[in-house]
Amino acid sequence: MPVTALVSAKSCGVTASALALTLASKRLSLLAECDPAGGTIRAGFLQGHVTAGYGLYHLAKAERTSPDALANAFANHLWPLDEAGHRKLLAGLTDPAQAAALGRTWPALSEVLHVLAEEAGYDVFIDAGRIALEAGSLHTTLTPAPVIHQADLVLLVVRGTEQSLTLARHVIGPLRAELAEYGSGADALALLLIKDGPRRAHQVAEALETPVLAALPWDPDTANYLTNAGRPPRGYGRSPLLRHARTATEQFEAAASRRSIQQQYPPRSANPQLAGVLQRLTEKAGGVRG
């Protein structure tokens, strides 16, 4: 299963989208709240039931001990999001000042997340928060750069508004360059569209020169519940947001599988000899049609 990182140019519904995807997945799923600006799910959706004794910050100390200690700490700091425990949360930081301590932890955490996805079959979603740049590159403290670099898919969450697209334009180039240099390739980057605003998916893709991999409906009642909890809206389990989120997880898996196959088996036309054969066959076909 893929490891999918969600990011934004500005607050754009990343956390609510990541939570919806995690809750809607048909498979085992995990949400890692890795936003260095701090996590909001424990105080929002979970209404403070998760204390500061659980969560991301505690992995930093464990990582400095040993890989085994990190793996054990990771398992011990997951919080169930449903009664069956099929959907889990690694709660985020309670204080943004804690982010500086995670510089060494991000790469090791990324490896753990990939093991969970590849060997245990989890859909893994990363709330990586707002993109922060420094000299045209991902800021090393204000973004969890290693988990973004190593993700199978990196989804920039945008809305169909001119304001959202204008902000997104400034981060797409640096993101694409970082993934090309440090990640699995620039084509790991795609868009997750929240259908709020006049721009349709094909217009957003054209404006940002980046494919829209999936779209989620503008569903303020469900999004508000995922953000602030309280009483679930009527028909919550069948809400447009969760139904489309379930479909989106399937689209992510298919896209990640295609990328994996392409990386293992490059196009045959990349072989110069085969490219020559292809050219000759094309020329002959053209002659027959003529």
Side-chain angles (χ1 to χ4, degrees), residues 87 107 118 127 197 224 271:
R87 299 169 177 88
E118 294 165 9
D127 176 356
N224 182 65
N271 182 315

Side-chain angles (χ1 to χ4, degrees), residues 39-107:
T40 59
I41 294 176
R42 76 172 80 221
F45 183 69
L46 295 178
Q47 292 287 282
H49 293 302
V50 183
T51 69
Y54 282 87
L56 178 64
Y57 178 69
H58 299 278
L59 303 189
K61 180 179 179 180
E63 185 276 329
R64 285 165 172 74
T65 302
S66 70
D68 286 344
L70 173 65
N72 289 332
F74 175 82
N76 291 334
H77 282 272
L78 298 182
W79 190 267
L81 291 171
D82 61 358
E83 292 184 4
H86 294 159
R87 299 169 177 88
K88 302 180 186 297
L89 169 73
L90 176 63
L93 301 178
T94 56
D95 183 350
Q98 297 169 337
L102 291 167
R104 280 183 39 178
T105 309
W106 295 128

Side-chain angles (χ1 to χ4, degrees), residues 149-165:
H149 292 155
Q150 296 173 30
D152 298 308
L153 298 171
V154 178
L155 302 182
L156 180 63
V157 181
V158 298
R159 296 176 185 261
T161 64
E162 190 57 42
Q163 180 189 55
S164 181
L165 301 189

Side-chain angles (χ1 to χ4, degrees), residues 2-289:
V3 174
T4 304
L6 279 67
V7 299
S8 73
K10 194 175 181 180
S11 181
C12 202
V14 168
T15 300
S17 298
L19 188 52
L21 292 165
T22 304
L23 294 172
S25 174
K26 297 177 181 179
R27 297 173 287 271
L28 298 172
S29 59
L30 168 77
L31 172 54
E33 204 176 11
C34 296
D35 185 350
T40 59
I41 294 176
R42 76 172 80 221
F45 183 69
L46 295 178
Q47 292 287 282
H49 293 302
V50 183
T51 69
Y54 282 87
L56 178 64
Y57 178 69
H58 299 278
L59 303 189
K61 180 179 179 180
E63 185 276 329
R64 285 165 172 74
T65 302
S66 70
D68 286 344
L70 173 65
N72 289 332
F74 175 82
N76 291 334
H77 282 272
L78 298 182
W79 190 267
L81 291 171
D82 61 358
E83 292 184 4
H86 294 159
R87 299 169 177 88
K88 302 180 186 297
L89 169 73
L90 176 63
L93 301 178
T94 56
D95 183 350
Q98 297 169 337
L102 291 167
R104 280 183 39 178
T105 309
W106 295 128
L109 173 60
S110 180
E111 291 183 12
V112 172
L113 295 176
H114 279 272
V115 168
L116 195 67
E118 294 165 9
E119 298 186 13
Y122 272 74
D123 266 338
V124 176
F125 300 99
I126 300 169
D127 176 356
R130 178 178 177 178
I131 291 294
L133 299 175
E134 182 179 40
S137 300
L138 294 181
H139 195 288
T140 55
T141 301
L142 301 181
T143 59
V147 298
I148 295 174
H149 292 155
Q150 296 173 30
D152 298 308
L153 298 171
V154 178
L155 302 182
L156 180 63
V157 181
V158 298
R159 296 176 185 261
T161 64
E162 190 57 42
Q163 180 189 55
S164 181
L165 301 189
T166 298
L167 293 169
R169 287 188 184 96
H170 297 296
V171 302
I172 281 181
L175 259 178
R176 190 174 281 128
E178 290 254 343
L179 292 171
E181 184 171 358
Y182 303 111
S184 61
D187 63 341
L189 179 63
L191 304 175
L192 175 61
L193 173 64
I194 297 176
K195 294 192 284 188
D196 173 29
R199 297 291 192 98
R200 296 182 179 273
H202 72 277
Q203 295 171 317
V204 171
E206 182 178 352
L208 298 179
E209 299 180 339
T210 305
V212 174
L213 188 54
L216 299 178
W218 176 238
D219 183 356
D221 290 341
T222 305
N224 182 65
Y225 172 66
L226 295 177
T227 302
N228 301 307
R231 178 176 295 180
R234 186 174 181 179
Y236 161 70
R238 302 181 304 279
S239 64
L241 178 54
L242 290 186
R243 285 191 289 106
H244 283 75
R246 189 171 298 112
T247 300
T249 62
E250 302 301 316
Q251 293 169 315
F252 300 162
E253 181 190 4
S257 295
R258 287 194 300 269
R259 291 195 69 244
S260 178
I261 292 171
Q262 289 167 357
Q263 290 166 355
Q264 292 177 31
Y265 304 101
R268 294 183 183 274
S269 57
N271 182 315
Q273 293 178 335
L274 292 178
V277 172
L278 179 61
Q279 182 180 357
R280 289 194 294 274
L281 288 173
T282 304
E283 289 172 352
K284 286 183 178 181
V288 171
R289 286 195 299 271

